[in-house]
Amino acid sequence: KDISGQIISYISNNYEENLTLTSIANRFGVSKYSLSRMFSNVLGVSFYQYINLLRIDFAEILLVNTDLSITDIAIKCGYNNQQTFNRAFKDRNKTTPSMFRKKMLNS
């Protein structure tokens, strides 16, 4: 059975939880170093980049389709605080969550 597929599937279904390299490695009985390598080799991104991609994709949907506050969206997407969420969002979209929402709702 393909452990990388199982791990990716697990993360895809639980990205809003507080996932760490160590917690996932322990859950699947692999070293965090081999887990980290697996992400680089299989997906071409780091463990944390992958989780952020999933979280920001979900955040974009919530920003456009709900009236939730930015803070509520950050927490719902698995971020511990709005600053971390804003930084990750801006890295990916070159704009803040509130500007993204405003732009999407006006277009």
Side-chain angles (χ1 to χ4, degrees):
K1 58 190 179 174
D2 178 24
I3 188 81
S4 60
Q6 290 175 30
I7 292 170
I8 291 165
S9 174
Y10 178 81
I11 291 170
S12 297
N13 292 318
N14 297 282
Y15 59 84
E16 69 285 350
E17 293 173 19
N18 184 20
L19 302 178
T20 64
L21 201 55
T22 305
S23 70
I24 297 296
N26 291 343
R27 172 177 265 284
F28 286 92
V30 297
S31 80
K32 59 185 187 178
Y33 306 105
S34 60
L35 179 62
S36 183
R37 253 192 326 276
M38 182 206 83
F39 269 86
S40 299
N41 296 341
V42 174
L43 297 172
V45 294
S46 77
F47 174 80
Y48 290 105
Q49 285 172 318
Y50 181 68
I51 290 175
N52 272 327
L53 288 171
L54 295 173
R55 288 176 173 171
I56 298 302
D57 282 348
F58 185 47
E60 289 172 1
I61 292 166
L62 294 176
L63 284 164
V64 175
N65 296 302
T66 73
D67 293 329
L68 291 170
S69 72
I70 305 293
T71 303
D72 287 344
I73 290 173
I75 291 163
K76 211 175 209 13
C77 293
Y79 291 95
N80 295 327
N81 60 63
Q82 192 178 331
Q83 287 85 350
T84 306
F85 170 62
N86 284 349
R87 194 174 323 113
F89 194 93
K90 200 166 182 184
D91 282 349
R92 168 105 177 267
N93 289 304
K94 309 294 179 241
T95 187
T96 62
S98 52
M99 290 304 292
F100 176 88
R101 174 180 263 170
K102 197 175 289 180
K103 192 168 73 185
M104 296 308 284
L105 294 178
N106 288 334
S107 61

